[in-house]
Amino acid sequence: MKTISIPQYYIVGNQYYNYYTEQEVPCDFPEPNEPVLIDPIQLEQFSYDVIQFQYIPDTGNNTALLQFEIKLNNNSNQPVEGTHYLTINIDGIQISTTYGINTCQFIEANSSCTISFETEDSHNLGTANSIELIDVKYYLISN
């Protein structure tokens, strides 16, 4: 018997993520070459705490301000590698995004990590009336 690494991938929000699983197979089993498209794998023992989520559509400086701080909790007994996705509602339209935040890719077992974001955008580009947080998920990159 031998252990092989099976290349897989999933797509979330126009982002491509590699995911590998290991499997024990007979020694004459061929090595997999082509990655297989799978559904995103969520960390099941995950929770989050919103420390702050604030949207100010008009700061008085011809700008809108969005800032948030969210604690991501790995409630499992295993360290994890993955990426967070926030689902937000912008004036009635739901989108999912990472906001380009590259922190919290690794979270130790029974531990947490905090993501923070702040942007102030000019009204010249248009502005939303409201932005609200709907949900946060954590997708695994490896097991």
Side-chain angles (χ1 to χ4, degrees):
M1 298 296 283
K2 67 179 180 178
T3 301
I4 61 170
S5 181
I6 301 170
Q8 300 169 320
Y9 70 97
Y10 63 86
I11 301 169
V12 175
N14 295 329
Q15 292 289 322
Y16 175 94
Y17 295 97
N18 290 317
Y19 185 84
Y20 297 92
T21 57
E22 291 188 347
Q23 186 174 357
E24 194 167 302
V25 296
C27 288
D28 61 349
F29 192 87
E31 293 286 330
N33 292 328
E34 293 296 319
V36 177
L37 176 64
I38 61 172
D39 290 330
I41 299 173
Q42 292 183 42
L43 175 58
E44 290 181 13
Q45 296 165 318
F46 171 77
S47 64
Y48 64 94
D49 300 306
V50 178
I51 299 166
Q52 176 193 26
F53 192 93
Q54 180 179 26
Y55 176 66
I56 302 171
D58 188 355
T59 63
N61 296 323
N62 196 35
T63 61
L65 175 69
L66 173 63
Q67 57 187 22
F68 59 80
E69 190 173 356
I70 301 170
K71 182 177 172 185
L72 309 178
N73 304 305
N74 174 10
N75 302 316
S76 74
N77 293 325
Q78 300 292 321
V80 294
E81 178 181 4
T83 187
H84 65 277
Y85 259 83
L86 283 66
T87 300
I88 58 170
N89 183 326
I90 302 173
D91 290 341
I93 299 172
Q94 285 191 12
I95 65 166
S96 294
T97 180
T98 64
Y99 274 101
I101 303 167
N102 293 324
T103 57
C104 299
Q105 292 175 330
F106 299 95
I107 306 176
E108 293 298 324
N110 297 304
S111 188
S112 62
C113 181
T114 301
I115 58 172
S116 299
F117 181 81
E118 182 173 337
T119 185
E120 191 167 348
D121 296 317
S122 170
H123 283 173
N124 296 338
L125 303 174
T127 186
N129 293 316
S130 68
I131 298 178
E132 61 182 346
L133 179 66
I134 303 298
D135 194 17
V136 179
K137 292 185 180 355
Y138 194 86
Y139 294 110
L140 298 175
I141 294 175
S142 64
N143 62 355

